[in-house]
Amino acid sequence: MNEELDDTPPPSWRQRPKPVGFEISYELVGDSLEIDRTRRVDSIRLSAVEQVRFVYAPGNISSKGYKTQLRLSDGRTVTFGNLSWRSLTDLDRDDARYHRFVSALSAAIARANPRARFVAGRPKPLWLGVALVGALSLLMLTVFSLRAFQQGATNAGLLGVLLIAASFWQVWPLVSLNRPRELATGEVPDSLVPGRAD
């Protein structure tokens, strides 16, 4: 039975982060994370991970983008996401496999460095900036729409309402999902790491 368990491949994740470029693979090997960039392989000790951050990061052609960022003790960062480019216009998602890998990685980091911080969302100043700009944009569109209706420009007012709805649809997830918060050591938030098997 133990031999069968030993034959199980280590948790891994593959991603092509840009439309043009090589695929990058991430693999847990013992107490290290091996990153294969095709031209070189880096090995990162999990005990050197000081912080794990989970964020909502929509892309140009998908609103379902999420990223995991590791900050190392030497100041470097490693970031990977759940979306992988197949071509210049096509993205691939395998959320279940992404969630399994991130969960295994988080558990391994928590074991290797119990002092590692696990956080969700953007840093507070950046999050506040997005929330403020989003609120001001919605306020300006609302004022524009109300004035248009008051002046009898119904089409312009309706366009403003449409823009308010579209803007809210874009801004609300950025603000609500990326609200900065501390997590328990090793915790993986389902709202920012999709794909948990029920």
Side-chain angles (χ1 to χ4, degrees):
M1 187 63 117
N2 287 338
E3 289 179 5
E4 288 179 14
L5 291 175
D6 292 341
D7 289 341
T8 304
S12 64
W13 176 246
R14 303 177 79 78
Q15 180 193 24
R16 190 172 168 200
K18 297 178 182 176
V20 178
F22 295 107
E23 185 178 69
I24 301 174
S25 68
Y26 304 85
E27 186 174 3
L28 277 174
V29 180
D31 60 354
S32 296
L33 174 65
E34 288 197 354
I35 305 171
D36 187 345
R37 293 183 170 88
T38 305
R39 295 183 177 177
R40 77 172 198 267
V41 177
D42 294 322
S43 184
I44 294 171
R45 290 180 301 106
L46 297 179
S47 59
V49 177
E50 290 187 335
Q51 179 181 278
V52 180
R53 182 182 294 277
F54 306 101
V55 296
Y56 171 62
N60 292 337
I61 65 172
S62 176
S63 63
K64 301 295 184 186
Y66 300 87
K67 290 189 177 177
T68 300
Q69 182 186 72
L70 312 179
R71 191 180 72 204
L72 310 180
S73 55
D74 62 6
R76 290 182 299 155
T77 59
V78 174
T79 305
F80 59 92
N82 68 319
L83 301 178
S84 184
W85 289 89
R86 284 187 194 164
S87 66
L88 290 173
T89 58
D90 190 23
L91 285 170
D92 184 32
R93 284 179 60 197
D94 186 352
D95 288 345
R97 189 162 172 242
Y98 177 72
H99 194 286
R100 283 194 304 272
F101 175 70
V102 172
S103 296
L105 175 63
S106 296
I109 290 170
R111 285 191 303 272
N113 182 7
R115 293 180 314 236
R117 282 182 67 214
F118 283 72
V119 295
R122 295 289 185 187
K124 196 166 189 176
L126 184 58
W127 177 77
L128 284 172
V130 169
L132 184 61
V133 168
L136 287 174
S137 299
L138 290 172
L139 180 63
M140 288 177 7
L141 285 169
T142 302
V143 170
F144 166 81
S145 299
L146 290 174
R147 289 189 58 109
F149 284 126
Q150 286 173 349
Q151 294 174 359
T154 306
N155 287 342
L158 290 173
L159 176 62
V161 170
L162 182 64
L163 289 173
I164 290 169
S167 297
F168 184 80
W169 179 72
Q170 290 286 326
V171 171
W172 178 248
L174 283 172
V175 174
S176 62
L177 292 174
N178 280 332
R179 178 178 54 85
R181 56 202 183 274
E182 293 282 334
L183 302 171
T185 302
E187 182 181 351
V188 175
D190 290 345
S191 62
L192 295 173
V193 185
R196 180 186 294 277
D198 294 331

